[in-house]
């Protein structure tokens, strides 16, 4: 694995890329310290964004089923929480008004 100073790699980039394409790994250095390693990109194609989106949606659906759909949603829980708190808020608000009116 050859090491090449970055300042020299600038002028030899085409040659370095050819070496990497042939399977060689090249390390670029700055002040004698390893900075980056150039390696060949794998031949396999990356899945499209649409395919990845569909895979994520399928995973989410599987997780939702695993967790259970019978549980109330966050919105339902929040609405229930707000309903429970409303009388307490009104009562404390009326008490403050009663105290101010005295």
């Amino acid at each position: 694995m050859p090491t090449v100073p970055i300042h020299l790699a600038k002028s030899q980039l085409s040659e370095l890329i050819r070496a990497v394409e042939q399977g060689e790994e090249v390390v670029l250095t700055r002040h004698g310290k390893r900075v980056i390693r150039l390696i060949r990109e794998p031949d396999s194609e990356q899945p499209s964004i649409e395919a990845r989106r569909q895979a994520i949606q399928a995973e989410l659906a599987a997780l939702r089923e695993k967790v259970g759909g019978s549980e109330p949603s966050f919105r339902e829980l929040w609405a229930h929480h707000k309903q429970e708190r409303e009388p307490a808020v009104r009562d404390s608000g009326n008490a403050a008004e009663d105290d101010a009116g005295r």
Side-chain angles (χ1 to χ4, degrees):
M1 180 179 336
T3 60
V4 180
I6 291 174
H7 70 278
L8 293 178
K10 292 177 185 178
S11 63
Q12 301 175 357
L13 186 59
S14 294
E15 293 86 13
L16 295 174
I17 290 173
R18 275 191 215 97
V20 169
E21 286 175 329
Q22 293 173 1
E24 200 169 337
E25 293 184 5
V26 177
V27 175
L28 302 184
T29 61
R30 179 181 288 136
H31 307 296
K33 295 183 179 179
R34 297 165 62 105
V35 177
I36 191 165
R37 182 170 49 124
L38 303 176
I39 61 170
R40 186 173 181 189
E41 184 70 22
D43 290 334
S44 65
E45 281 189 29
Q46 295 292 327
S48 69
I49 292 175
E50 179 62 23
R52 291 188 352 224
R53 185 184 68 78
Q54 289 176 355
I56 290 169
Q57 283 181 329
E59 284 183 47
L60 286 173
L63 284 172
R64 285 188 186 112
E65 282 186 33
K66 189 175 184 180
V67 171
S70 62
E71 296 292 321
S73 70
F74 175 79
R75 286 189 178 124
E76 293 169 335
L77 289 172
W78 184 249
H80 180 69
H81 170 75
K82 284 173 47 178
Q83 287 175 350
E84 286 181 345
R85 297 236 339 128
E86 279 184 15
V89 171
R90 279 195 215 129
D91 291 343
S92 66
N94 291 339
E97 289 173 11
D98 291 343
D99 289 341
R102 291 185 186 165

